[in-house]
Amino acid sequence: MRVPAHSVCTAIRDDIVSGVFERGSRLTEEVLARRYGVSRVPVREALRTLESEGFVVTRRHAGACVAEPSEQEAADLLEVRMLLEPLSAARAAQRRTDAHLKVLRGLVRLGQERARRGEGEDLRSLAGWFHETLAQASGSPGLIALLTQLRHKIAWMYAVDQPARPAEAWAEHGALVDAVARGDAARARALAAQLAERQGAAHRLRRAARPANVPRAGRVRTSQRAVNTASGRN
């Protein structure tokens, strides 16, 4: 059975973001097809998509390679996100559904509970889920797509420190949800801008390091695996 190209794209992107494929390493169709248990056709399509997203570049005499973004490019991404997230929150205040509010309030409750327990890894996941839901509540497919791509690329380029006062951070998330629930777009925009600025300050640029005498091209850290086509996220 032919694997959908979007499942292969998601798998390759996830491996780039997690560091399985190092920056600058070659991405050959044959190796990728074997790794994910697919033909070369969906791999070729996935590489084209990832190149359009900025994760992959095509180099003369080398073919497809993992991109190597500069520090300025990484900084620009954070700045763009700080502009788009307040816009997303303002639109969510105008377009959200009761279902969106239910999920957002539930995430705030969980975040506050996990913050009291000091469960940092759970908080990171919950924060990601919160911002994805808030973006969905904006009702703007273009904005949702941009924010999703930004989150992937920022996760690839940055590590994030946990907030010094996680309970206060989740109280701010709760205040943002209250503004969205009231339909107060101006307040939602302002609170989202404050959150984005605070979160931006917690980001530390990742600096990829390669062991000495290990060639860059085609280096992969983990063993071959097959794509789970039933749960493609892209």
Side-chain angles (χ1 to χ4, degrees):
M1 182 179 70
R2 183 176 181 275
V3 175
H6 69 262
S7 296
V8 182
C9 184
T10 298
I12 298 173
R13 186 192 299 109
D14 287 349
D15 280 345
I16 290 173
V17 170
S18 65
V20 171
F21 297 119
E22 294 184 345
R23 298 179 195 184
S25 62
R26 289 184 62 193
L27 297 170
T28 63
E29 292 178 11
E30 181 180 358
V31 171
L32 293 173
R34 186 166 61 249
R35 175 177 174 79
Y36 302 113
V38 298
S39 73
R40 294 172 66 167
V41 173
V43 168
R44 190 174 305 126
E45 294 173 1
L47 290 176
R48 282 198 293 264
T49 298
L50 292 169
E51 184 168 17
S52 72
E53 294 178 355
F55 289 98
V56 171
V57 295
T58 300
R59 293 176 177 159
R60 190 176 182 183
H61 306 308
C65 301
V66 179
E68 297 180 273
S70 67
E71 291 188 15
Q72 184 59 61
E73 289 171 324
D76 287 348
L77 288 176
L78 281 182
E79 187 174 359
V80 170
R81 193 186 69 174
M82 289 180 189
L83 293 172
L84 292 183
E85 286 195 341
L87 172 61
S88 175
R91 289 192 176 177
Q94 298 166 333
R95 303 176 182 177
R96 56 78 180 168
T97 65
D98 289 342
H100 290 132
L101 276 181
K102 183 177 180 180
V103 174
L104 288 168
R105 291 197 186 283
L107 290 169
V108 169
R109 285 194 299 271
L110 285 173
Q112 292 171 335
E113 178 184 322
R114 299 296 192 273
R116 286 193 296 270
R117 296 180 182 178
E119 298 174 358
E121 286 305 314
D122 282 355
L123 287 177
R124 186 176 286 108
S125 298
L126 288 170
W129 192 0
F130 178 92
H131 288 289
E132 288 176 15
T133 305
L134 189 63
Q136 292 289 333
S138 73
S140 174
L143 186 55
I144 293 166
L146 283 172
L147 285 168
T148 299
Q149 189 178 132
L150 279 171
R151 276 192 294 272
H152 285 310
K153 295 184 81 171
I154 288 170
W156 174 39
M157 297 180 193
Y158 288 93
V160 183
D161 295 327
Q162 288 292 339
R165 301 180 180 84
E168 290 183 13
W170 279 96
E172 292 175 346
H173 284 72
L176 174 54
V177 174
D178 289 341
V180 170
R182 293 194 306 270
D184 189 341
R187 179 65 173 160
R189 183 190 291 268
L191 289 170
Q194 291 176 16
L195 270 175
E197 184 174 359
R198 186 189 305 275
Q199 291 168 349
H203 285 66
R204 292 179 291 104
L205 197 64
R206 296 184 191 273
R207 300 188 182 276
R210 284 186 299 277
N213 301 321
V214 176
R216 171 185 291 184
R219 186 170 181 272
V220 180
R221 293 182 184 169
T222 60
S223 59
Q224 178 176 323
R225 65 182 174 87
V227 175
N228 179 359
T229 60
S231 59
R233 292 180 297 170
N234 202 35

